[in-house]
Amino acid sequence: MDESSPTPAPDGRTAHERPGVYATPGAGFERDTRYLTTRITADGRDGWPVEAGRYRLVVSRACPWASRAIVVRRVLGLEDALSMGVCGPTHDERSWTFDLDRGGVDPVLGVERLRDAYLVRDPRYARGITVPAIVDVPTGAVVTNDFAQITLDLSTQWTTHHRPGAPDLYPEALRGEIDELGDEIYRDVNNGVYRCGFAGSQETYDRAFTRLFDALDRLEARLTRRRYLVGDTITEADVRLFTTLVRFDAVYHGHFKCNRHRLTEMPALWAYARDLFQTPGFGDTVDFVDIKRHYYEVHRDINPSGIVPRGPELRGWRTPHGREALGGRPFGDGTPPGPVRDGERVPAGHGAG
């Protein structure tokens, strides 16, 4: 997520157990956005040139911010150029861990904790240990954890390594509209659910709740008349909205008190989310078990018992959505990605059937 292990807030406020976020009692939620902003680019302007096999993308499928990178990497076909390490859904106060791997050690980086790669980059690193992060394999150092820039660079800087038929998720002619809408989605929806969940007072919760559902109402109206958010193909904007929508009923509706409506009660958004979920590269990356375990087990100040709810029913994600009637071409002049690679499939029983 910007999901990380807890760090002291910059001004001494109490840090939440959630990664990279903090709040003042009685006030509102804030997110620690002090990222490592060095970029991996085609020209290597920051000292990190695009190079197949050199870097490792570290993610957790629990995390909506990391899920963006998982989707974009798969849709663009970057599996051979950029390997992926997957952390488990929970973490302790120190770091995300590679507890899904044999012996609890990432087989490429040779470390148990993502924190180790941050400390190679900066031995005095005191910010959030966040995912997604891209690590330079030869040195073992984190290059960047700037989640918003990571996916844009995968689209624009890694083009030499895109699969044949990869779509353009960030077309130059639409970038202004994608950026403007993406900023609104981040501010009012992606981050908006957190403002509700971690509100420190009734007043701040009420304000956050209204802001979130006002934004969802605007998106509902927009998606009633068009299949995708910008243009007639899937773009970066759709990726950014999808990773929040797919978690909405499973965690945000109950756990974060975002409960004016379930996603399933918002007709256009629910059909839109199912359309994307059933598109190769989207739903086949979603791990509902990891998602629920992370939120309900880690956020003990919100859910002290750590009990993970059994619901909601997930079979609806596979039902017909009817969005084809609005036109649009999911991958434009490109093609869908092929089957999920061996070793990268969501475990059986963790998806939507």
Side-chain angles (χ1 to χ4, degrees):
M1 294 179 206
D2 138 45
E3 285 281 355
S4 67
S5 52
T7 57
D11 59 2
R13 286 175 282 183
T14 302
H16 279 292
E17 192 174 358
R18 269 115 7 259
V21 300
Y22 52 88
T24 304
F29 156 91
E30 294 183 58
R31 184 176 298 283
D32 184 352
T33 57
R34 298 169 299 157
Y35 301 114
L36 294 168
T37 57
T38 43
R39 294 173 58 193
I40 300 168
T41 57
D43 62 6
R45 71 193 72 161
D46 287 353
W48 305 97
V50 169
E51 200 175 304
R54 176 172 174 176
Y55 305 100
R56 188 157 176 83
L57 173 66
V58 177
V59 299
S60 169
R61 292 193 177 99
C63 162
W65 320 100
S67 291
R68 294 181 181 186
I70 298 172
V71 169
V72 170
R73 172 181 174 270
R74 170 149 160 66
V75 168
L76 297 178
L78 288 168
E79 292 94 334
D80 289 335
L82 179 63
S83 68
M84 185 171 73
V86 181
C87 297
T90 62
H91 55 73
D92 61 17
E93 70 282 357
R94 287 179 288 171
S95 180
W96 292 93
T97 61
F98 294 99
D99 51 301
L100 301 179
D101 291 303
R102 180 174 298 181
V105 175
D106 180 86
V108 172
L109 300 175
V111 297
E112 296 180 354
R113 296 177 177 276
L114 181 56
R115 178 175 182 268
D116 296 342
Y118 277 85
L119 294 179
V120 172
R121 169 69 184 265
D122 178 0
R124 301 180 66 182
Y125 187 83
R127 288 171 275 170
I129 308 298
T130 65
V131 290
I134 299 183
V135 180
D136 178 49
V137 174
T139 63
V142 169
V143 177
T144 179
N145 65 340
D146 187 354
F147 70 91
Q149 190 63 49
I150 284 172
T151 51
L152 297 181
D153 284 344
L154 292 180
S155 285
T156 62
Q157 302 299 312
W158 289 72
T159 53
T160 301
H161 303 290
H162 289 181
R163 65 179 174 83
D168 187 352
L169 296 176
Y170 195 48
E172 193 163 359
L174 298 177
R175 288 180 187 177
E177 188 176 0
I178 291 170
D179 291 344
E180 182 178 2
L181 188 59
D183 288 346
E184 179 182 348
I185 289 168
Y186 171 77
R187 182 183 65 246
D188 296 336
V189 180
N190 302 146
N191 224 27
V193 293
Y194 283 82
R195 285 197 184 94
C196 291
F198 300 134
S201 70
Q202 187 69 51
E203 180 183 2
T204 55
Y205 166 75
D206 290 345
R207 189 163 56 243
F209 182 94
T210 299
R211 184 173 177 178
L212 167 65
F213 281 97
D214 283 351
L216 290 175
D217 286 343
R218 291 193 298 273
L219 291 165
E220 174 78 10
R222 184 184 186 98
L223 289 165
T224 297
R225 60 183 185 270
R226 58 193 306 161
R227 188 171 180 184
Y228 303 112
L229 287 170
V230 180
D232 67 350
T233 65
I234 291 168
T235 68
E236 172 80 14
D238 298 296
V239 176
R240 294 186 177 199
L241 180 57
F242 173 77
T243 58
T244 292
L245 295 183
V246 81
R247 289 163 172 76
F248 200 88
D249 286 3
V251 288
Y252 301 144
H253 179 271
H255 185 58
F256 278 178
K257 306 179 184 70
C258 301
N259 61 356
R260 193 194 76 180
H261 291 106
R262 294 179 174 85
L263 177 63
T264 56
E265 297 167 334
M266 295 179 271
L269 282 167
W270 173 224
Y272 164 81
R274 299 201 316 277
D275 187 3
L276 290 177
F277 188 90
Q278 293 169 33
T279 299
F282 285 79
D284 54 26
T285 69
V286 175
D287 188 321
F288 284 108
V289 171
D290 275 14
I291 288 168
K292 292 199 299 183
R293 282 196 59 201
H294 173 76
Y295 285 91
Y296 286 103
E297 291 185 24
V298 171
H299 300 170
R300 291 302 181 100
D301 48 346
I302 296 177
N303 185 43
S305 69
I307 293 172
V308 179
R310 296 288 297 273
E313 171 58 58
L314 299 173
R315 285 178 292 185
W317 283 101
R318 297 293 184 188
T319 59
H321 51 76
R323 299 282 291 177
E324 304 92 339
L326 294 172
R329 302 171 299 151
F331 298 102
D333 294 329
T335 58
V340 180
R341 299 288 184 91
D342 289 343
E344 294 193 359
R345 295 188 183 90
V346 172
H350 284 216

